[in-house]
Amino acid sequence: MVPHRLLWGQQQAGCGDSPGRMAGRGTRFPRDVVRNEAHLPAPELSPAYAHLVLRIIDARTGEPTEIRPGLVRVHAHVAGADTSALRVLLVADVLARALELGGTPVVTVADPPTELRARADALGIRPAEPDAPGVGRALHVAPATGPADGVHIEVAPATGPADTDAPPSAVRLALLARPRRQPVDLDTTALTEAGDTLLRWRKAVAAWATHPSRPIPERVRQELRAAWEDDLDVPAVLEVLRCVESAKDIPDGACFETYAYADRLLGLDLTREIGGRA
C-alpha cells in the first residue's frame, strides 16, 4: 500500500479555511484519500525530474503497478452516452495528459457514440483513435466490469443530467473533484460550487499574471509530483491548489506558475481570464 503522506498545505496556518472555496457534498477535496499520479516537466525542472514513474492501482489485483517510460495505449471503454461514460473518457484524458507530460508517448483509444463524443468535446476531452490493436502497453480505463487483460483503472459511476446548463468546465471540475473510484453526483450544488471555484481561480490567476514570474516553490512542486505519480490522484492536486491559494508565504508570480503548471494536467483553462478574455 502507498504510505500516507502529510500534505505540505496542511502545515500552513489557515490552509483549507479560505472563504469561498469549494465545500459541501461531493466537492470538498478530502485529506485522507489515496495519493496519485504523474509529472509535468516545466522548463526549469532539474534532471532529477526527468524520469518519473506513474504508479496505478490495478483494479484486478489491488496492487500498485509502475508505468515506466515506453509507448502506452490508454483504452477508454464506454457503452452508451450517460454521465458515467463521460467520466470514463475524462479519466482516460487526464491519464494520457499525465503520461505525456512525464515524457511517455500515448495513444488514446475510444469509440464513443456521437452524442457522447459531443459531450466530451465540450469538456475539452481530446479525440481518441477508434482502435490501435497491439500498440504499446495497455491501460484499460473502465467501469468495475472491465477487460481482463492489461492494467485496469476502475472508474465509479457518475450521475447527473446530460442536458445541464452548467458550463462544461464546471462539469469537468466537479467530476475531477472526487476520487475516481468513488461515485459522484453532478447535482446543482456540486456544479454551482465547481463553477464558483473556477470563476475565483481564473480571476486569481489573471491577477497573479500581472506580477513578475517566480519559480514554483520546491515543496509545492514535490507535493504536486507526489499526487501525479500516485494513482492519478487529481483531488490531491486540487487540494494543493487550494492551499497555494490561501498561502501567505508564496509570491503572486509563483502562485501563477503553480496554477498554470497544474492546469496542464487538469485541463480547466485556468488562464482564461488573462488579458481580459471572456
Side-chain angles (χ1 to χ4, degrees), residues 110-132:
D111 190 17
T114 302
E115 179 185 350
L116 181 60
R117 182 64 259 170
R119 295 183 69 190
D121 289 343
L123 262 63
I125 297 172
R126 298 172 297 181
E129 298 295 329
D131 197 10

mmCIF file with all atom_site columns, all heavy atoms in Angstrom, residues 110-132:
data_model
loop_
_atom_site.group_PDB
_atom_site.id
_atom_site.type_symbol
_atom_site.label_atom_id
_atom_site.label_alt_id
_atom_site.label_comp_id
_atom_site.label_asym_id
_atom_site.label_entity_id
_atom_site.label_seq_id
_atom_site.pdbx_PDB_ins_code
_atom_site.Cartn_x
_atom_site.Cartn_y
_atom_site.Cartn_z
_atom_site.occupancy
_atom_site.B_iso_or_equiv
_atom_site.pdbx_formal_charge
_atom_site.auth_seq_id
_atom_site.auth_comp_id
_atom_site.auth_asym_id
_atom_site.auth_atom_id
_atom_site.pdbx_PDB_model_num
ATOM 1   N N   . ALA A 1 110 ? -10.643 5.043  -28.040 1.00 0.00 ? 110 ALA A N   1
ATOM 2   C CA  . ALA A 1 110 ? -12.040 5.051  -27.605 1.00 0.00 ? 110 ALA A CA  1
ATOM 3   C C   . ALA A 1 110 ? -12.915 5.182  -28.837 1.00 0.00 ? 110 ALA A C   1
ATOM 4   O O   . ALA A 1 110 ? -12.515 5.801  -29.831 1.00 0.00 ? 110 ALA A O   1
ATOM 5   C CB  . ALA A 1 110 ? -12.314 6.197  -26.632 1.00 0.00 ? 110 ALA A CB  1
ATOM 6   N N   . ASP A 1 111 ? -14.087 4.630  -28.755 1.00 0.00 ? 111 ASP A N   1
ATOM 7   C CA  . ASP A 1 111 ? -15.036 4.722  -29.869 1.00 0.00 ? 111 ASP A CA  1
ATOM 8   C C   . ASP A 1 111 ? -16.413 5.091  -29.317 1.00 0.00 ? 111 ASP A C   1
ATOM 9   O O   . ASP A 1 111 ? -17.353 4.300  -29.365 1.00 0.00 ? 111 ASP A O   1
ATOM 10  C CB  . ASP A 1 111 ? -15.086 3.395  -30.624 1.00 0.00 ? 111 ASP A CB  1
ATOM 11  C CG  . ASP A 1 111 ? -15.861 3.517  -31.934 1.00 0.00 ? 111 ASP A CG  1
ATOM 12  O OD1 . ASP A 1 111 ? -16.064 4.657  -32.402 1.00 0.00 ? 111 ASP A OD1 1
ATOM 13  O OD2 . ASP A 1 111 ? -16.282 2.470  -32.477 1.00 0.00 ? 111 ASP A OD2 1
ATOM 14  N N   . PRO A 1 112 ? -16.540 6.316  -28.796 1.00 0.00 ? 112 PRO A N   1
ATOM 15  C CA  . PRO A 1 112 ? -17.803 6.715  -28.184 1.00 0.00 ? 112 PRO A CA  1
ATOM 16  C C   . PRO A 1 112 ? -18.870 7.001  -29.228 1.00 0.00 ? 112 PRO A C   1
ATOM 17  O O   . PRO A 1 112 ? -18.556 7.398  -30.353 1.00 0.00 ? 112 PRO A O   1
ATOM 18  C CB  . PRO A 1 112 ? -17.433 7.993  -27.425 1.00 0.00 ? 112 PRO A CB  1
ATOM 19  C CG  . PRO A 1 112 ? -16.300 8.566  -28.219 1.00 0.00 ? 112 PRO A CG  1
ATOM 20  C CD  . PRO A 1 112 ? -15.526 7.384  -28.739 1.00 0.00 ? 112 PRO A CD  1
ATOM 21  N N   . PRO A 1 113 ? -20.135 6.839  -28.844 1.00 0.00 ? 113 PRO A N   1
ATOM 22  C CA  . PRO A 1 113 ? -21.205 7.244  -29.768 1.00 0.00 ? 113 PRO A CA  1
ATOM 23  C C   . PRO A 1 113 ? -21.174 8.750  -29.990 1.00 0.00 ? 113 PRO A C   1
ATOM 24  O O   . PRO A 1 113 ? -20.568 9.507  -29.222 1.00 0.00 ? 113 PRO A O   1
ATOM 25  C CB  . PRO A 1 113 ? -22.474 6.801  -29.042 1.00 0.00 ? 113 PRO A CB  1
ATOM 26  C CG  . PRO A 1 113 ? -22.088 6.678  -27.607 1.00 0.00 ? 113 PRO A CG  1
ATOM 27  C CD  . PRO A 1 113 ? -20.649 6.287  -27.595 1.00 0.00 ? 113 PRO A CD  1
ATOM 28  N N   . THR A 1 114 ? -21.842 9.189  -31.028 1.00 0.00 ? 114 THR A N   1
ATOM 29  C CA  . THR A 1 114 ? -21.794 10.597 -31.431 1.00 0.00 ? 114 THR A CA  1
ATOM 30  C C   . THR A 1 114 ? -22.206 11.541 -30.312 1.00 0.00 ? 114 THR A C   1
ATOM 31  O O   . THR A 1 114 ? -21.569 12.574 -30.078 1.00 0.00 ? 114 THR A O   1
ATOM 32  C CB  . THR A 1 114 ? -22.699 10.815 -32.657 1.00 0.00 ? 114 THR A CB  1
ATOM 33  O OG1 . THR A 1 114 ? -22.271 9.960  -33.721 1.00 0.00 ? 114 THR A OG1 1
ATOM 34  C CG2 . THR A 1 114 ? -22.647 12.270 -33.121 1.00 0.00 ? 114 THR A CG2 1
ATOM 35  N N   . GLU A 1 115 ? -23.277 11.198 -29.583 1.00 0.00 ? 115 GLU A N   1
ATOM 36  C CA  . GLU A 1 115 ? -23.753 12.067 -28.502 1.00 0.00 ? 115 GLU A CA  1
ATOM 37  C C   . GLU A 1 115 ? -22.701 12.217 -27.416 1.00 0.00 ? 115 GLU A C   1
ATOM 38  O O   . GLU A 1 115 ? -22.461 13.326 -26.904 1.00 0.00 ? 115 GLU A O   1
ATOM 39  C CB  . GLU A 1 115 ? -25.045 11.496 -27.913 1.00 0.00 ? 115 GLU A CB  1
ATOM 40  C CG  . GLU A 1 115 ? -25.611 12.330 -26.765 1.00 0.00 ? 115 GLU A CG  1
ATOM 41  C CD  . GLU A 1 115 ? -26.833 11.678 -26.130 1.00 0.00 ? 115 GLU A CD  1
ATOM 42  O OE1 . GLU A 1 115 ? -27.355 10.692 -26.689 1.00 0.00 ? 115 GLU A OE1 1
ATOM 43  O OE2 . GLU A 1 115 ? -27.267 12.160 -25.054 1.00 0.00 ? 115 GLU A OE2 1
ATOM 44  N N   . LEU A 1 116 ? -22.052 11.118 -27.057 1.00 0.00 ? 116 LEU A N   1
ATOM 45  C CA  . LEU A 1 116 ? -21.024 11.178 -26.019 1.00 0.00 ? 116 LEU A CA  1
ATOM 46  C C   . LEU A 1 116 ? -19.807 11.945 -26.514 1.00 0.00 ? 116 LEU A C   1
ATOM 47  O O   . LEU A 1 116 ? -19.192 12.699 -25.759 1.00 0.00 ? 116 LEU A O   1
ATOM 48  C CB  . LEU A 1 116 ? -20.637 9.767  -25.582 1.00 0.00 ? 116 LEU A CB  1
ATOM 49  C CG  . LEU A 1 116 ? -19.580 9.671  -24.480 1.00 0.00 ? 116 LEU A CG  1
ATOM 50  C CD1 . LEU A 1 116 ? -20.047 10.375 -23.209 1.00 0.00 ? 116 LEU A CD1 1
ATOM 51  C CD2 . LEU A 1 116 ? -19.245 8.209  -24.182 1.00 0.00 ? 116 LEU A CD2 1
ATOM 52  N N   . ARG A 1 117 ? -19.441 11.776 -27.772 1.00 0.00 ? 117 ARG A N   1
ATOM 53  C CA  . ARG A 1 117 ? -18.293 12.498 -28.315 1.00 0.00 ? 117 ARG A CA  1
ATOM 54  C C   . ARG A 1 117 ? -18.539 14.001 -28.267 1.00 0.00 ? 117 ARG A C   1
ATOM 55  O O   . ARG A 1 117 ? -17.614 14.782 -27.977 1.00 0.00 ? 117 ARG A O   1
ATOM 56  C CB  . ARG A 1 117 ? -18.049 12.055 -29.754 1.00 0.00 ? 117 ARG A CB  1
ATOM 57  C CG  . ARG A 1 117 ? -16.849 12.681 -30.452 1.00 0.00 ? 117 ARG A CG  1
ATOM 58  C CD  . ARG A 1 117 ? -15.549 12.284 -29.791 1.00 0.00 ? 117 ARG A CD  1
ATOM 59  N NE  . ARG A 1 117 ? -15.033 13.341 -28.921 1.00 0.00 ? 117 ARG A NE  1
ATOM 60  C CZ  . ARG A 1 117 ? -14.020 13.185 -28.092 1.00 0.00 ? 117 ARG A CZ  1
ATOM 61  N NH1 . ARG A 1 117 ? -13.433 12.011 -27.999 1.00 0.00 ? 117 ARG A NH1 1
ATOM 62  N NH2 . ARG A 1 117 ? -13.594 14.178 -27.350 1.00 0.00 ? 117 ARG A NH2 1
ATOM 63  N N   . ALA A 1 118 ? -19.777 14.422 -28.524 1.00 0.00 ? 118 ALA A N   1
ATOM 64  C CA  . ALA A 1 118 ? -20.106 15.840 -28.451 1.00 0.00 ? 118 ALA A CA  1
ATOM 65  C C   . ALA A 1 118 ? -19.952 16.357 -27.022 1.00 0.00 ? 118 ALA A C   1
ATOM 66  O O   . ALA A 1 118 ? -19.429 17.461 -26.800 1.00 0.00 ? 118 ALA A O   1
ATOM 67  C CB  . ALA A 1 118 ? -21.521 16.077 -28.962 1.00 0.00 ? 118 ALA A CB  1
ATOM 68  N N   . ARG A 1 119 ? -20.404 15.586 -26.032 1.00 0.00 ? 119 ARG A N   1
ATOM 69  C CA  . ARG A 1 119 ? -20.254 15.991 -24.634 1.00 0.00 ? 119 ARG A CA  1
ATOM 70  C C   . ARG A 1 119 ? -18.776 16.045 -24.247 1.00 0.00 ? 119 ARG A C   1
ATOM 71  O O   . ARG A 1 119 ? -18.343 16.950 -23.522 1.00 0.00 ? 119 ARG A O   1
ATOM 72  C CB  . ARG A 1 119 ? -21.005 15.033 -23.713 1.00 0.00 ? 119 ARG A CB  1
ATOM 73  C CG  . ARG A 1 119 ? -22.511 15.030 -23.886 1.00 0.00 ? 119 ARG A CG  1
ATOM 74  C CD  . ARG A 1 119 ? -23.174 14.092 -22.879 1.00 0.00 ? 119 ARG A CD  1
ATOM 75  N NE  . ARG A 1 119 ? -23.075 14.610 -21.520 1.00 0.00 ? 119 ARG A NE  1
ATOM 76  C CZ  . ARG A 1 119 ? -23.392 13.902 -20.433 1.00 0.00 ? 119 ARG A CZ  1
ATOM 77  N NH1 . ARG A 1 119 ? -23.808 12.648 -20.562 1.00 0.00 ? 119 ARG A NH1 1
ATOM 78  N NH2 . ARG A 1 119 ? -23.293 14.439 -19.238 1.00 0.00 ? 119 ARG A NH2 1
ATOM 79  N N   . ALA A 1 120 ? -18.011 15.078 -24.725 1.00 0.00 ? 120 ALA A N   1
ATOM 80  C CA  . ALA A 1 120 ? -16.585 15.050 -24.418 1.00 0.00 ? 120 ALA A CA  1
ATOM 81  C C   . ALA A 1 120 ? -15.865 16.246 -25.034 1.00 0.00 ? 120 ALA A C   1
ATOM 82  O O   . ALA A 1 120 ? -15.000 16.857 -24.402 1.00 0.00 ? 120 ALA A O   1
ATOM 83  C CB  . ALA A 1 120 ? -15.978 13.743 -24.914 1.00 0.00 ? 120 ALA A CB  1
ATOM 84  N N   . ASP A 1 121 ? -16.215 16.593 -26.266 1.00 0.00 ? 121 ASP A N   1
ATOM 85  C CA  . ASP A 1 121 ? -15.612 17.764 -26.909 1.00 0.00 ? 121 ASP A CA  1
ATOM 86  C C   . ASP A 1 121 ? -15.863 19.023 -26.084 1.00 0.00 ? 121 ASP A C   1
ATOM 87  O O   . ASP A 1 121 ? -14.971 19.869 -25.932 1.00 0.00 ? 121 ASP A O   1
ATOM 88  C CB  . ASP A 1 121 ? -16.187 17.945 -28.312 1.00 0.00 ? 121 ASP A CB  1
ATOM 89  C CG  . ASP A 1 121 ? -15.703 16.883 -29.294 1.00 0.00 ? 121 ASP A CG  1
ATOM 90  O OD1 . ASP A 1 121 ? -14.701 16.203 -29.006 1.00 0.00 ? 121 ASP A OD1 1
ATOM 91  O OD2 . ASP A 1 121 ? -16.347 16.738 -30.353 1.00 0.00 ? 121 ASP A OD2 1
ATOM 92  N N   . ALA A 1 122 ? -17.071 19.163 -25.568 1.00 0.00 ? 122 ALA A N   1
ATOM 93  C CA  . ALA A 1 122 ? -17.412 20.346 -24.772 1.00 0.00 ? 122 ALA A CA  1
ATOM 94  C C   . ALA A 1 122 ? -16.563 20.433 -23.514 1.00 0.00 ? 122 ALA A C   1
ATOM 95  O O   . ALA A 1 122 ? -16.239 21.528 -23.048 1.00 0.00 ? 122 ALA A O   1
ATOM 96  C CB  . ALA A 1 122 ? -18.900 20.316 -24.418 1.00 0.00 ? 122 ALA A CB  1
ATOM 97  N N   . LEU A 1 123 ? -16.185 19.277 -22.948 1.00 0.00 ? 123 LEU A N   1
ATOM 98  C CA  . LEU A 1 123 ? -15.376 19.248 -21.737 1.00 0.00 ? 123 LEU A CA  1
ATOM 99  C C   . LEU A 1 123 ? -13.886 19.361 -22.021 1.00 0.00 ? 123 LEU A C   1
ATOM 100 O O   . LEU A 1 123 ? -13.073 19.331 -21.094 1.00 0.00 ? 123 LEU A O   1
ATOM 101 C CB  . LEU A 1 123 ? -15.644 17.954 -20.945 1.00 0.00 ? 123 LEU A CB  1
ATOM 102 C CG  . LEU A 1 123 ? -16.636 18.079 -19.783 1.00 0.00 ? 123 LEU A CG  1
ATOM 103 C CD1 . LEU A 1 123 ? -18.019 18.457 -20.282 1.00 0.00 ? 123 LEU A CD1 1
ATOM 104 C CD2 . LEU A 1 123 ? -16.701 16.772 -18.998 1.00 0.00 ? 123 LEU A CD2 1
ATOM 105 N N   . GLY A 1 124 ? -13.499 19.477 -23.269 1.00 0.00 ? 124 GLY A N   1
ATOM 106 C CA  . GLY A 1 124 ? -12.087 19.574 -23.602 1.00 0.00 ? 124 GLY A CA  1
ATOM 107 C C   . GLY A 1 124 ? -11.372 18.240 -23.579 1.00 0.00 ? 124 GLY A C   1
ATOM 108 O O   . GLY A 1 124 ? -10.133 18.196 -23.471 1.00 0.00 ? 124 GLY A O   1
ATOM 109 N N   . ILE A 1 125 ? -12.129 17.149 -23.680 1.00 0.00 ? 125 ILE A N   1
ATOM 110 C CA  . ILE A 1 125 ? -11.537 15.808 -23.736 1.00 0.00 ? 125 ILE A CA  1
ATOM 111 C C   . ILE A 1 125 ? -11.069 15.566 -25.163 1.00 0.00 ? 125 ILE A C   1
ATOM 112 O O   . ILE A 1 125 ? -11.850 15.656 -26.105 1.00 0.00 ? 125 ILE A O   1
ATOM 113 C CB  . ILE A 1 125 ? -12.552 14.739 -23.309 1.00 0.00 ? 125 ILE A CB  1
ATOM 114 C CG1 . ILE A 1 125 ? -12.950 14.965 -21.846 1.00 0.00 ? 125 ILE A CG1 1
ATOM 115 C CG2 . ILE A 1 125 ? -11.994 13.331 -23.505 1.00 0.00 ? 125 ILE A CG2 1
ATOM 116 C CD1 . ILE A 1 125 ? -14.104 14.078 -21.382 1.00 0.00 ? 125 ILE A CD1 1
ATOM 117 N N   . ARG A 1 126 ? -9.824  15.271 -25.329 1.00 0.00 ? 126 ARG A N   1
ATOM 118 C CA  . ARG A 1 126 ? -9.249  15.178 -26.658 1.00 0.00 ? 126 ARG A CA  1
ATOM 119 C C   . ARG A 1 126 ? -9.757  13.952 -27.412 1.00 0.00 ? 126 ARG A C   1
ATOM 120 O O   . ARG A 1 126 ? -9.990  12.897 -26.808 1.00 0.00 ? 126 ARG A O   1
ATOM 121 C CB  . ARG A 1 126 ? -7.724  15.165 -26.558 1.00 0.00 ? 126 ARG A CB  1
ATOM 122 C CG  . ARG A 1 126 ? -7.155  16.440 -25.944 1.00 0.00 ? 126 ARG A CG  1
ATOM 123 C CD  . ARG A 1 126 ? -5.680  16.330 -25.678 1.00 0.00 ? 126 ARG A CD  1
ATOM 124 N NE  . ARG A 1 126 ? -5.382  15.289 -24.707 1.00 0.00 ? 126 ARG A NE  1
ATOM 125 C CZ  . ARG A 1 126 ? -4.147  15.002 -24.286 1.00 0.00 ? 126 ARG A CZ  1
ATOM 126 N NH1 . ARG A 1 126 ? -3.121  15.690 -24.755 1.00 0.00 ? 126 ARG A NH1 1
ATOM 127 N NH2 . ARG A 1 126 ? -3.957  14.051 -23.402 1.00 0.00 ? 126 ARG A NH2 1
ATOM 128 N N   . PRO A 1 127 ? -9.910  14.063 -28.718 1.00 0.00 ? 127 PRO A N   1
ATOM 129 C CA  . PRO A 1 127 ? -10.357 12.920 -29.516 1.00 0.00 ? 127 PRO A CA  1
ATOM 130 C C   . PRO A 1 127 ? -9.384  11.754 -29.415 1.00 0.00 ? 127 PRO A C   1
ATOM 131 O O   . PRO A 1 127 ? -8.180  11.935 -29.191 1.00 0.00 ? 127 PRO A O   1
ATOM 132 C CB  . PRO A 1 127 ? -10.400 13.479 -30.949 1.00 0.00 ? 127 PRO A CB  1
ATOM 133 C CG  . PRO A 1 127 ? -10.522 14.956 -30.777 1.00 0.00 ? 127 PRO A CG  1
ATOM 134 C CD  . PRO A 1 127 ? -9.754  15.286 -29.529 1.00 0.00 ? 127 PRO A CD  1
ATOM 135 N N   . ALA A 1 128 ? -9.912  10.546 -29.604 1.00 0.00 ? 128 ALA A N   1
ATOM 136 C CA  . ALA A 1 128 ? -9.112  9.331  -29.499 1.00 0.00 ? 128 ALA A CA  1
ATOM 137 C C   . ALA A 1 128 ? -9.184  8.561  -30.808 1.00 0.00 ? 128 ALA A C   1
ATOM 138 O O   . ALA A 1 128 ? -10.042 8.815  -31.665 1.00 0.00 ? 128 ALA A O   1
ATOM 139 C CB  . ALA A 1 128 ? -9.622  8.460  -28.355 1.00 0.00 ? 128 ALA A CB  1
ATOM 140 N N   . GLU A 1 129 ? -8.280  7.626  -30.957 1.00 0.00 ? 129 GLU A N   1
ATOM 141 C CA  . GLU A 1 129 ? -8.317  6.714  -32.091 1.00 0.00 ? 129 GLU A CA  1
ATOM 142 C C   . GLU A 1 129 ? -9.407  5.677  -31.860 1.00 0.00 ? 129 GLU A C   1
ATOM 143 O O   . GLU A 1 129 ? -9.611  5.227  -30.727 1.00 0.00 ? 129 GLU A O   1
ATOM 144 C CB  . GLU A 1 129 ? -6.966  6.014  -32.249 1.00 0.00 ? 129 GLU A CB  1
ATOM 145 C CG  . GLU A 1 129 ? -5.805  6.950  -32.531 1.00 0.00 ? 129 GLU A CG  1
ATOM 146 C CD  . GLU A 1 129 ? -5.932  7.656  -33.868 1.00 0.00 ? 129 GLU A CD  1
ATOM 147 O OE1 . GLU A 1 129 ? -6.520  7.042  -34.797 1.00 0.00 ? 129 GLU A OE1 1
ATOM 148 O OE2 . GLU A 1 129 ? -5.470  8.797  -33.989 1.00 0.00 ? 129 GLU A OE2 1
ATOM 149 N N   . PRO A 1 130 ? -10.110 5.270  -32.910 1.00 0.00 ? 130 PRO A N   1
ATOM 150 C CA  . PRO A 1 130 ? -11.136 4.241  -32.720 1.00 0.00 ? 130 PRO A CA  1
ATOM 151 C C   . PRO A 1 130 ? -10.560 2.880  -32.376 1.00 0.00 ? 130 PRO A C   1
ATOM 152 O O   . PRO A 1 130 ? -11.218 2.056  -31.734 1.00 0.00 ? 130 PRO A O   1
ATOM 153 C CB  . PRO A 1 130 ? -11.866 4.214  -34.062 1.00 0.00 ? 130 PRO A CB  1
ATOM 154 C CG  . PRO A 1 130 ? -10.891 4.782  -35.041 1.00 0.00 ? 130 PRO A CG  1
ATOM 155 C CD  . PRO A 1 130 ? -10.078 5.779  -34.294 1.00 0.00 ? 130 PRO A CD  1
ATOM 156 N N   . ASP A 1 131 ? -9.306  2.630  -32.766 1.00 0.00 ? 131 ASP A N   1
ATOM 157 C CA  . ASP A 1 131 ? -8.680  1.354  -32.453 1.00 0.00 ? 131 ASP A CA  1
ATOM 158 C C   . ASP A 1 131 ? -7.181  1.484  -32.679 1.00 0.00 ? 131 ASP A C   1
ATOM 159 O O   . ASP A 1 131 ? -6.733  2.300  -33.500 1.00 0.00 ? 131 ASP A O   1
ATOM 160 C CB  . ASP A 1 131 ? -9.244  0.233  -33.335 1.00 0.00 ? 131 ASP A CB  1
ATOM 161 C CG  . ASP A 1 131 ? -8.937  -1.150 -32.775 1.00 0.00 ? 131 ASP A CG  1
ATOM 162 O OD1 . ASP A 1 131 ? -8.465  -1.222 -31.620 1.00 0.00 ? 131 ASP A OD1 1
ATOM 163 O OD2 . ASP A 1 131 ? -9.181  -2.140 -33.485 1.00 0.00 ? 131 ASP A OD2 1
ATOM 164 N N   . ALA A 1 132 ? -6.404  0.712  -31.930 1.00 0.00 ? 132 ALA A N   1
ATOM 165 C CA  . ALA A 1 132 ? -4.952  0.659  -32.101 1.00 0.00 ? 132 ALA A CA  1
ATOM 166 C C   . ALA A 1 132 ? -4.464  -0.675 -31.563 1.00 0.00 ? 132 ALA A C   1
ATOM 167 O O   . ALA A 1 132 ? -3.752  -0.735 -30.559 1.00 0.00 ? 132 ALA A O   1
ATOM 168 C CB  . ALA A 1 132 ? -4.278  1.830  -31.381 1.00 0.00 ? 132 ALA A CB  1
#
